[in-house]
Each structure stands twice: as C-alpha cells, then as structure tokens.
Amino acid sequence: MARPNLKLLSAQQVATHSNHADCWLVIEGQVWNLTEFAPEHPGGAEVILEYAGKDATERYAEVHSLSLLGSTLDSSKLVGILDSSSVDRESTPLHSKNSKVQVQHEKPPLSSLLSSHDFEAVASRSLKPKTWAFYSSAATDLITMKANKSFFDRIWFRPRVLRNVHNVNTSCLIQGVESSLPLFVAPAALAKMVHPSGEKGIAAACVTRGVIQCISTNASYSANEILYSAPSTHPFFFQLYVHKKRSDTSALLSTISSHHPNVKSVFLTVDAPCAGKREADERVKADESTQSPMTGEKAANDKLGGGLGRIMGSFIDDTLSWEDLPWLRSIWKGKIVIKGVMSAEDAIRAAAEGCDGIVLSNHGGRNLDTSPPSILILLELQLRCPEVFDQLQVFVDGGIRRGTDILKCLCLGARAVLVGRPILYALNYGQEGVEQLLDILKDELEIAMRLVGITDLSQAHPALVNTADIDHLVPRTEGHPYAEWSSSNNKMRAKL
C-alpha cells in the first residue's frame, strides 16, 4: 500500500509536528499524519497525542497489528520514511518521556531464569500494570486458581528404583498429531500485551520445539497472520468462542478450514457463557484502543471497571448447548474437543456425542470461583466413568507449573496438559523466552520420569502416584451425598 518516492524525514522534522493541530507519528519506520484521525480514534485522542512527533511503534504494536494502519487510513496519510541515521537517542526527543512502554524494572538475563516461577516473578515486576492484572487475575477470592496449583502438591509419587532409565522419550500423539512433549500451549487472549510478537512469537517457539499451539479466538493477531507466520506443515489447534452472530463463527471456521489444513482440531470453550468477576483486572483502567481482530471486540471502561475479559467477551453466545454440536459439525469437518468440562456427567455426555477429546478446565480459576481444581476432576473421571479414557482423549488445564505436575496428570490418565499463564510470562522475553520455558519443562519432565522409574510416557500409570490426601474430596455420585431436591416444589430435604 506504501506509495513510491516517499520523503526521507529526519527525527527533528517529525518532532516539529507534535500537537493536536499537526500530529505526526512514527510507526515501524513510517511517518504518518494522524491529525484528522486522532479525534476519531476509538481509544481516544489522548493516547495518540502523547506520541505526537515521536516514535509510537512499541505502544502501537501492543494492541494493533502493524498492517492495520495501511488497511485503515488513506495512503495520503503516509507522509514519509524516518531517516534512522538522524536519530540521536541522547539528544533527540523521539521517544515519550512518559511512555508507557518503559518497564517498571529491568528484566534479569534470560539465562538466569530456571523455572516457570522465575518467569512469573519477573513478569509481576516488569509487565505493565494492566497486562499483569489481566493475566494474573482470577475470579473473586482466587480460591480455585490457588487450588489448581496446590492440589498437585498433595499428590505424592511412588517411585520404582533399579530401572534402566538412560534413554527417556517424551514424545506423544495429541489428537493424532505428533508432539515432542505431552503438552500444548493453551489459548490466551491478546498476547501482544506481553510482547509485540504476541501469538506469532509463541508460534515460532512452538515450531522450533515441536510443540502445538492452540490459537485463541481473542488473539491479538488474526488467525491468518499467526498461521502464515509458521511453516504450513506445522500443526495447530484453534480455540473457539461461538459468536452470538453465528454467521461470524461460520465465516471464521470456513476461512481456517479452507486455507489452513494444518489446523487439526477445534477446541470449543464451554465454561465461559459469561466472564467471571476478576477484580484485579477491573481495577486497572483498560486501554480503549485494544481490539481483537477476529471478533472485532474493543476494550472499554464502564462503571464496573476496565475488565478486559468481561467487556471483550460480550460477543460470546450464552445460548450455546449440547444440541448445537450438529451445527458445529456442519461448518467444521475436523476434530472437536470440548474445553471446560468439570464433572463426570459432562465427560460422559461428550463421549456420547462423539467428541474427540475433552479439556478438564475451570478456565484457570478465572470464571466460577470454588469450581473444582482440574486434577480433582481427573480423579472423578477415573472413579465414576473410567470408560471415557478409551472413548476420547482427556487433557488437563490449570495449575501446571512443573514437569512433576505434567507427569502426575499422565499417571492418572490424561493424554497431555495445557500450559497457559507460564507461556505468557515467558513471552515477556519474546520467542526465546517461550523456547526456554519449554526446554525447562522438558528437562523437568525427563528428570521426573527417570526418578519415578519410567522411560516412555506409555509407562505412566496410576500406581506411581498416591492421591490419598485428596481422595476424600472426589465426588462418588452424580447427586449430593445426602441433600435431596424436588423440582416440583423446589425444596430440599436431607436424608437422615
């Protein structure tokens, strides 16, 4: 879209166009005249005027695709190319002194980070307040989010010794797709808030490490941008929120299935007909220029706060039910996995409906607080409906921080796990950060396998773990153990 023979403009020239009546911005080396556009900017003119006469690339890239300007503005608004040789970072006021892109604390060298906890600690200090609030927040009192992690600590290994564990194999098949690890990247919204590379940076890391990424409907790049950034042979999954306007969902899946045969499965999220109350996210004002390209939803602030999950999830169809699965199959011919199962009853129903897999998930504790921790749901399936493990693949999402957590899930019947927040915290270092986290988890898993006494994932079995500390919390029946309910009179009575 760029016009030929664009002027080469110095940083000093750009700096003279720095007010509401004459507003130029540098974005990715291009100089744009945004004087007329600023008052119409959905996020308000203030954020544009803050960077008037300056380089806004980093700030812009946090919430927008770099290709958006070219497709939105008339080509006449592109007034030139920045002469990089004119930029003297010591004396030229090209960067905003109050720039929100400046981190609160310097990040330590990537090589010094040894665990997912290290990445989280750095993210808590260096991410922007809104970004940290959005990703670290959970529903109301954070009970489920904490239980997702703490319940792993209550499961003990029962190692076998004197085994030859010299060669260890962590590869497996996930939905018929080869993976170097029994994990894949959980879908997460707006990853560009963490790093400009966003989901494309995650995808690049997954390619080099032989791991699958599940792309979110609320990604900060379009599905095409993410998928075309990787080799066409690299497999992906796609997470789906069904739009209230069903035709939008049909069009999205049609585009993916027509152009991207490497997207092997759709993960239908069913545990979020509405967003939970995430108070930390609500308390920090949202940047109203933030937008999801695949849904068109924009951030906003209202009397309840600036919760991105609540506001940007308003498009989700809350009428979706089991009866809609035939409709989904009519527009998607690939595999279907139900994401957000929290009971044996729904696991049984998913198997009966012919689904290819289920994700045991409470949305990272972000929706219904005091919903069951994911590992407890896995135990419920083993107790009440073990047959489902032969009928579909079972995945666990929530609380995975260590290689030992992964192995515990595999011992209890899971095919693989999803890793969410740790990946986002690692993305704080870009592609290299995600690669290092995946390497750390692989190393931890291999160590755990050797010390438990196995060399292949197929050898993981329930006798290698002791779950006695939480077994009493596993539901034994569909109903309550003693309280009864009558739908005719809507009253409860206890069985004594």
Side-chain angles (χ1 to χ4, degrees):
M1 150 345 311
R3 296 174 297 155
N5 303 318
L6 286 171
K7 293 180 181 179
L8 196 63
L9 300 169
S10 70
Q12 292 76 14
Q13 287 177 289
V14 174
T16 63
H17 301 268
S18 58
N19 59 71
H20 72 279
D22 185 14
C23 179
W24 287 10
L25 269 70
V26 178
I27 298 174
E28 195 72 356
Q30 298 179 332
V31 182
W32 291 85
N33 184 345
L34 300 185
T35 308
E36 296 177 2
F37 174 73
E40 304 172 358
H41 181 230
E46 293 80 7
V47 69
I48 291 181
L49 294 176
E50 179 185 348
Y51 291 88
K54 303 179 181 73
D55 191 327
T57 300
E58 268 193 271
R59 186 72 183 99
Y60 178 87
E62 289 175 6
V63 291
H64 298 304
S65 167
L66 290 170
S67 63
L68 182 63
L69 273 178
S71 61
T72 303
L73 300 181
D74 187 88
S75 62
S76 64
K77 303 304 178 186
L78 178 58
V79 294
I81 300 295
L82 178 68
D83 181 0
S84 59
S85 66
S86 69
V87 179
D88 181 349
R89 296 192 178 274
E90 296 298 321
S91 61
T92 304
L94 191 61
H95 298 276
S96 171
K97 292 182 180 179
N98 298 317
S99 172
K100 296 179 182 178
V101 304
Q102 294 175 341
V103 297
Q104 293 173 291
H105 299 277
E106 290 295 324
K107 293 182 288 189
L110 177 59
S111 59
S112 69
L113 276 58
L114 304 178
S115 72
S116 69
H117 299 297
D118 289 347
F119 281 103
E120 182 171 357
V122 173
S124 71
R125 300 190 302 266
S126 62
L127 293 180
K128 298 172 185 63
K130 183 59 180 180
T131 302
W132 173 252
F134 177 51
Y135 290 120
S136 67
S137 63
T140 52
D141 297 313
L142 318 184
I143 294 169
T144 292
M145 183 186 73
K146 293 175 181 177
N148 275 343
K149 293 182 284 187
S150 66
F151 268 53
F152 281 107
D153 300 334
R154 300 173 65 179
I155 298 174
W156 302 87
F157 281 117
R158 302 178 63 215
R160 306 298 191 264
V161 298
L162 288 176
R163 304 292 202 271
N164 181 348
V165 292
H166 181 70
N167 295 313
V168 171
N169 178 21
T170 63
S171 65
C172 66
L173 288 177
I174 303 175
Q175 291 292 285
V177 177
E178 291 185 3
S179 174
S180 67
L181 286 168
L183 66 82
F184 55 99
V185 174
L190 304 173
K192 282 178 66 177
M193 291 177 63
V194 178
H195 189 274
S197 65
E199 294 82 5
K200 294 198 290 186
I202 296 174
C206 288
V207 170
T208 66
R209 295 304 184 264
V211 170
I212 305 163
Q213 176 185 10
C214 188
I215 299 171
S216 169
T217 299
N218 278 329
S220 47
Y221 287 103
S222 70
N224 279 339
E225 288 177 302
I226 300 167
L227 292 164
Y228 282 132
S229 74
S232 60
T233 54
H234 185 77
F236 285 85
F237 299 145
F238 186 78
Q239 175 270 335
L240 178 67
Y241 286 120
V242 173
H243 203 290
K244 290 177 180 178
K245 187 178 178 182
R246 295 284 179 92
S247 59
D248 285 3
T249 296
S250 298
L252 176 60
L253 291 185
S254 176
T255 297
I256 292 173
S257 61
S258 299
H259 300 286
H260 305 287
N262 53 328
V263 177
K264 302 301 183 180
S265 300
V266 157
F267 282 62
L268 176 65
T269 295
V270 297
D271 59 357
C274 67
K277 185 185 181 188
R278 306 168 193 170
E279 294 170 3
D281 186 26
E282 295 287 3
R283 288 192 177 100
V284 186
K285 186 177 180 181
D287 179 347
E288 296 189 353
S289 66
T290 303
Q291 183 175 5
S292 171
M294 280 187 272
T295 68
E297 294 296 304
K298 299 178 180 179
N301 298 279
D302 57 25
K303 64 180 182 179
L304 296 178
L308 290 175
R310 173 178 58 85
I311 295 168
M312 298 189 70
S314 60
F315 72 94
I316 297 172
D317 187 353
D318 58 6
T319 71
L320 189 71
S321 70
W322 290 106
E323 285 67 36
D324 291 308
L325 283 180
W327 164 78
L328 180 58
R329 286 198 177 92
S330 73
I331 61 173
W332 175 258
K333 304 306 180 184
K335 294 184 177 182
I336 295 175
V337 177
I338 303 297
K339 181 178 182 292
V341 169
M342 289 177 276
S343 69
E345 284 69 40
D346 283 334
I348 294 168
R349 179 67 184 266
E353 295 285 346
C355 296
D356 299 285
I358 54 175
V359 179
L360 309 183
S361 175
N362 47 51
H363 219 88
R366 290 164 70 82
N367 282 350
L368 177 63
D369 203 14
T370 67
S371 54
S374 302
I375 193 69
L376 192 66
I377 308 169
L378 184 62
L379 289 173
E380 181 184 352
L381 267 58
Q382 284 287 7
L383 177 68
R384 297 191 48 223
C385 55
E387 67 278 2
V388 301
F389 292 92
D390 296 322
Q391 298 167 338
L392 44 70
Q393 292 187 347
V394 177
F395 308 108
V396 175
D397 173 41
I400 308 295
R401 297 295 183 272
R402 291 284 193 183
T404 50
D405 300 335
I406 300 171
L407 185 54
K408 288 172 183 178
C409 291
L410 302 183
C411 286
L412 292 170
R415 175 59 62 97
V417 303
L418 286 72
V419 180
R421 286 184 179 96
I423 293 288
L424 294 165
Y425 300 148
L427 183 62
N428 195 15
Y429 287 83
Q431 173 186 340
E432 294 79 10
V434 178
E435 289 172 340
Q436 176 147 322
L437 175 65
L438 292 172
D439 291 343
I440 288 170
L441 292 175
K442 179 179 176 64
D443 181 59
E444 290 183 353
L445 177 59
E446 289 178 343
I447 290 172
M449 291 172 66
R450 285 190 171 97
L451 294 178
V452 163
I454 65 174
T455 58
D456 192 88
L457 300 180
S458 63
Q459 298 166 2
H461 59 89
L464 295 176
V465 291
N466 174 1
T467 60
D469 194 31
I470 57 175
D471 282 341
H472 64 287
L473 298 173
V474 179
R476 262 58 180 174
T477 63
E478 177 178 358
H480 192 275
Y482 56 85
E484 293 184 347
W485 177 74
S486 172
S487 59
S488 60
N489 56 22
N490 198 29
K491 292 181 180 180
M492 290 187 293
R493 61 185 185 277
K495 294 184 286 188
L496 301 176

